[in-house]
Amino acid sequence: MTEVSVREIFKSYGKVEALRGVSFEAERGELFGIIGPDGAGKSTLFRILTTLLVADSGSATVAGHDVVKEYNAIRACVGYMPGRFSLYQDLTVEENMEFFASVFGTTVEENYDLVADIYRQIEPFKKRKAGKLSGGMKQKLALSCAMIHRPRVLFLDEPTTGVDPVSRKEFWQMLGRLKEEGITIVVSTPYMDEASLCDRIALIMEGRFIGIDTPRGIVAQYGAPLYAVRADRRGGLLNDLRGMEELEACYAFGNEVHITAKQESAETERRVAEALAAKGYGDVEVRRIEPTVEDCFMKLSRR
Amino acid sequence: MRQRVKVQGGESAGRTGGKGVFAAFVKKEFRHVVRDKRTMLIVLAMPVVQIILFGFALSSEIRNVNVAVLAPHYDEQVRRIVERMDASEYFTVTGMLTSDKDVDMAFRDGSADMILAFGGGFDEVYTVEGTEIQLIADATNTNTATTMVMYATNIISNSLTDGQQEMKAGIVPDIRMLYNPQMKSSYGFVPGVMGLIIILICAMMTSVSIVREKEQGTMELLLVSPMRPIMIIISKMVPYLVLSFIDFLMIVLLSVTVLDVPMAGSFGALCVLALLYIIVALSLGLLISTKVESQMAAMLGSGMVLMVPSMFFSGMIFPVESMPLFFQWLSKILPPSWFITGVKKLMIEGLPAMYVAKETLILTVMAVVLIAASLKNFKYRLE
């Protein structure tokens, strides 16, 4: 059953085109990820789906309701966590929870089991003002508030931005459990490593989806063999590699440079290593690697 | 404040925003207000400070005016007038001058604010043809000058009629200051301060608090909830309505007890008028909040657009009757003008409630128009 359906959504702010024809569908109980850099149009899409903005053209339904005509019905059954921390900083953790529960006509006790995993971690600080929490705890509180009313569809706009790696992991574990409860989750993130934790992902770039598939499917589409290069000097490495004619793509990736060759050949590894050694690099290492979602993103975004 | 309102969330509450939601919202709003020290300070201290300031420091009444007397012959009649003058709380006789030349000097060295000059040989010249008493006042401040000349005239004519009952010469005007016989300025400014503080608290604070929700992003969350926009708005207004009504009561209490302003008319009618005015001010704040995007703009909007005109053109400080026609019209569309007029009638003049029917009607119309306009302008989406 389709819980979220988006067709050819366009949205611009004056001359800036935020979304240029976006379509996707998410099934009930699916964890759908929208992956892309800042400014790609993720937040605009979330605001359209949560009925806060109206698209210039195109249509969308959430939980079977049209986002423009039946916005009241949608507002009653979705949970929304905006990208920016948006709770009352002068209220305590507990008061924020209670308030958002009552706004949705429920109580913290009623749905405690749903948020327990994450809320338990901030419960020791429940008398603390929300504004005095650390970044990770703020996000946990925001998420708890967004789902305290057991929403049918949960929209999380960059929930892990500014959260430490340990908390990020816990966050995703909890999303997995929510999914099992039958809650449909649409989540956006700029972190490519989180993409593999989603059921399906859409890669977004400059207001367009440049690929929608399972994380595995996206990676499988990569095609060309991918190599990671490292050497004792990093300065100049990227430029020197870009100067090699036989290479198609070169881009920095952490401490390494990822490259693909124009033509697949068993010689590529050796030739690149020799060329770099000739330029005076030491400890040159070139090895074949499996592409990640980020590599796919880099490749797709070049088109 | 109640502790822990347990909300029993039935289906209907979830869909329409029932009483429980409303209570939770109002409670949350009160928490914001109570926890913000600046807000509390403004709400609790401002009325007291303004009343004290206007009552004791910024009075337009005159007191202890230095008077010098220029009299060629210091006879019985002159002595009587001078003594009476000196005995009043308004004047202090500081010196006797002997010649015209001293007049300028007395003003220049600041020893006199007003000079009482008698014609030569008062007792003899005081005949059917009349004689001359000249009042020379320092009119750098026109208001003060007018007031002191008027007080002095009163004293002089009183002492003359007392002394010579049979004297029928000339026409001596019998001036009576109705409703405010002592010309206390507090009678005039108490309604003004009331009008000003209520508009400040209601309009400025409501608009700032709604815009703050927009700024910190919580409005987004509230919109994506089953709560109806009108409920969001009403529940935001309630705490400020309560606070400004408390302020209103504080001002009335202080004015009556400390400044001896009368509560001549019906207190109930005054409360109704104040409530109505508070609602008008709240809707003004609401309207401002729908038009601006930042707390700063809300502050400026309510400050410049409401406060300044309210102070200048509502008759609180300057008489509207002597303004150019344009400003008289402006005064008529300002809610404080009507409120202040109504308060004067009810509090000072002690007129029955039916005499403020016009003011009440106009404020009601204003409230309806403003609420309609702000509901129409309230965005239930982000743009």
Side-chain angles (χ1 to χ4, degrees), chain A residues 227 246-247 259-261 263-273 286:
Chain A
Y227 303 91
E246 61 199 294
L247 299 183
I259 55 169
T260 54
Q263 279 177 341
E264 188 166 358
S265 123
E267 299 290 285
T268 309
E269 280 177 75
R270 192 177 54 79
R271 284 220 300 274
V272 170
V286 181

Side-chain angles (χ1 to χ4, degrees), chain B residues 247-269:
Chain B
D247 272 356
F248 158 76
L249 294 177
M250 270 167 70
I251 298 174
V252 173
L253 189 73
L254 278 174
S255 315
V256 173
T257 55
V258 181
L259 302 181
D260 294 327
V261 176
M263 180 61 244
S266 148
F267 180 63

Side-chain angles (χ1 to χ4, degrees), chain B residues 75-85 159 162-163:
Chain B
D75 52 33
E76 180 59 18
Q77 191 63 259
V78 173
R79 196 185 53 79
R80 204 203 309 249
I81 293 173
V82 171
E83 271 176 4
R84 211 177 248 254
M85 206 121 191
S159 68
D162 282 0

Side-chain angles (χ1 to χ4, degrees), chain A residues 5-24 40-49 53-60 67-68 204-209, chain B residues 383:
Chain A
S5 159
V6 175
R7 268 188 210 93
E8 284 298 303
I9 291 275
F10 282 82
K11 176 75 188 173
S12 50
Y13 302 104
K15 281 185 179 167
V16 184
E17 292 177 306
L19 291 174
R20 314 187 226 189
V22 165
S23 305
F24 74 91
K42 299 191 296 288
S43 295
T44 304
L45 181 58
F46 273 84
R47 284 177 169 170
I48 289 173
L49 291 177
L53 291 178
V54 175
D56 297 339
S57 68
S59 66
V67 289
V68 181
I204 187 170
M205 173 93 185
E206 288 169 2
R208 281 194 192 91
F209 280 175
Chain B
E383 51 168 32

Side-chain angles (χ1 to χ4, degrees), chain A residues 22-288:
Chain A
V22 165
S23 305
F24 74 91
E25 283 189 350
E27 298 295 311
R28 175 156 217 168
E30 186 173 9
L31 178 50
F32 191 89
I34 295 171
I35 322 288
D38 293 339
K42 299 191 296 288
S43 295
T44 304
L45 181 58
F46 273 84
R47 284 177 169 170
I48 289 173
L49 291 177
T50 50
T51 74
L52 287 170
L53 291 178
V54 175
D56 297 339
S57 68
S59 66
T61 62
V62 173
H65 302 289
D66 185 87
V67 289
V68 181
K69 291 189 203 104
E70 299 165 293
Y71 70 95
N72 268 329
I74 294 179
R75 288 177 180 193
C77 72
V78 301
Y80 171 46
M81 178 176 164
R84 197 162 54 111
F85 179 69
S86 310
L87 296 175
Y88 297 102
Q89 317 247 2
D90 56 336
L91 298 188
T92 65
V93 169
E94 200 177 22
E95 287 162 352
N96 267 296
M97 281 291 273
E98 273 174 18
F99 173 69
F100 282 103
S102 31
V103 162
F104 282 89
T106 180
T107 58
V108 177
E109 290 76 17
E110 204 171 311
N111 290 320
Y112 188 83
D113 59 303
L114 193 70
V115 294
D117 283 334
I118 208 127
Y119 185 54
R120 223 174 261 142
Q121 298 173 22
I122 46 174
E123 234 177 349
F125 312 102
K126 65 182 181 184
K127 299 283 179 205
R128 194 182 284 188
K129 301 265 168 70
K132 299 243 187 294
L133 294 175
S134 69
M137 288 201 280
K138 275 183 183 169
Q139 295 299 83
K140 283 174 193 168
L141 175 60
L143 183 61
S144 304
C145 288
M147 53 187 220
I148 188 63
H149 59 290
R150 197 175 287 270
R152 234 175 108 172
V153 185
L154 195 51
F155 292 98
L156 309 173
D157 192 2
E158 302 201 1
T160 54
T161 300
V163 176
D164 64 275
V166 178
S167 300
R168 268 169 66 187
K169 207 174 152 202
E170 289 166 356
F171 226 98
W172 281 92
Q173 281 169 355
M174 200 190 59
L175 294 189
R177 278 190 293 271
L178 290 178
K179 210 181 72 145
E180 282 158 24
E181 298 256 347
I183 295 175
T184 310
I185 304 168
V186 180
V187 58
S188 76
T189 176
Y191 302 119
M192 305 284 171
D193 56 324
E194 292 179 343
S196 57
L197 303 167
C198 301
D199 293 329
R200 282 196 306 142
I201 52 173
L203 302 181
I204 187 170
M205 173 93 185
E206 288 169 2
R208 281 194 192 91
F209 280 175
I210 52 178
I212 307 179
D213 208 330
T214 59
R216 211 177 278 265
I218 292 268
V219 171
Q221 285 169 22
Y222 195 78
L226 182 71
Y227 303 91
V229 182
R230 65 162 80 207
D232 60 349
R233 283 189 286 125
R234 262 193 293 159
L237 182 63
L238 185 62
N239 277 337
D240 283 335
L241 284 167
R242 281 197 175 139
M244 290 185 196
E245 273 186 16
E246 61 199 294
L247 299 183
E248 185 177 348
C250 304
Y251 50 86
F253 198 102
N255 289 329
E256 304 176 327
V257 175
H258 284 187
I259 55 169
T260 54
K262 278 177 186 156
Q263 279 177 341
E264 188 166 358
S265 123
E267 299 290 285
T268 309
E269 280 177 75
R270 192 177 54 79
R271 284 220 300 274
V272 170
E274 279 170 4
L276 287 179
K279 286 190 194 268
Y281 288 90
D283 299 334
V284 177
E285 187 195 325
V286 181
R287 65 197 154 83
R288 176 91 187 252

Side-chain angles (χ1 to χ4, degrees), chain B residues 83-266:
Chain B
E83 271 176 4
R84 211 177 248 254
M85 206 121 191
D86 203 19
S88 86
E89 57 174 315
Y90 311 113
F91 302 104
T92 313
V93 176
T94 50
M96 306 296 291
L97 309 177
T98 44
S99 80
D100 292 356
K101 288 175 206 142
D102 298 337
V103 171
D104 270 352
M105 272 307 293
F107 279 120
R108 281 194 197 141
D109 64 19
S111 63
D113 302 310
M114 186 171 74
I115 284 166
L116 187 59
F118 293 90
F122 198 73
D123 268 346
E124 298 104 72
V125 190
Y126 193 69
T127 56
V128 189
E129 293 88 48
T131 185
E132 274 186 346
I133 302 179
Q134 198 179 18
L135 286 169
I136 310 165
D138 170 7
T140 347
N141 184 329
T142 45
N143 286 337
T144 321
T146 319
T147 318
M148 54 196 190
V149 166
M150 198 171 63
Y151 285 10
T153 316
N154 262 348
I155 293 175
I156 294 165
S157 61
N158 279 344
S159 68
L160 286 182
T161 43
D162 282 0
Q164 293 184 299
Q165 300 293 339
E166 72 280 7
M167 208 274 303
K168 292 275 183 287
I171 298 166
V172 182
D174 179 16
I175 301 166
R176 251 187 239 178
M177 292 295 175
L178 266 187
Y179 307 122
N180 191 359
Q182 290 158 287
M183 298 286 287
K184 284 196 172 172
S185 62
S186 53
Y187 286 25
F189 80 79
V190 162
V193 167
M194 237 183 238
L196 206 62
I197 287 184
I198 290 178
I199 213 143
L200 186 78
I201 291 185
C202 296
M204 191 177 268
M205 300 213 166
T206 327
S207 60
V208 166
S209 97
I210 295 179
V211 172
R212 188 188 298 137
E213 298 243 9
K214 285 198 213 174
E215 262 188 354
Q216 66 188 9
T218 41
M219 191 52 98
E220 255 180 88
L221 289 181
L222 295 180
L223 287 176
V224 187
S225 81
M227 246 190 126
R228 302 215 163 164
I230 182 152
M231 291 297 283
I232 301 179
I233 293 305
I234 292 177
S235 43
K236 281 215 87 93
M237 284 177 150
V238 168
Y240 295 104
L241 189 131
V242 173
L243 284 177
S244 36
F245 196 71
I246 292 175
D247 272 356
F248 158 76
L249 294 177
M250 270 167 70
I251 298 174
V252 173
L253 189 73
L254 278 174
S255 315
V256 173
T257 55
V258 181
L259 302 181
D260 294 327
V261 176
M263 180 61 244
S266 148

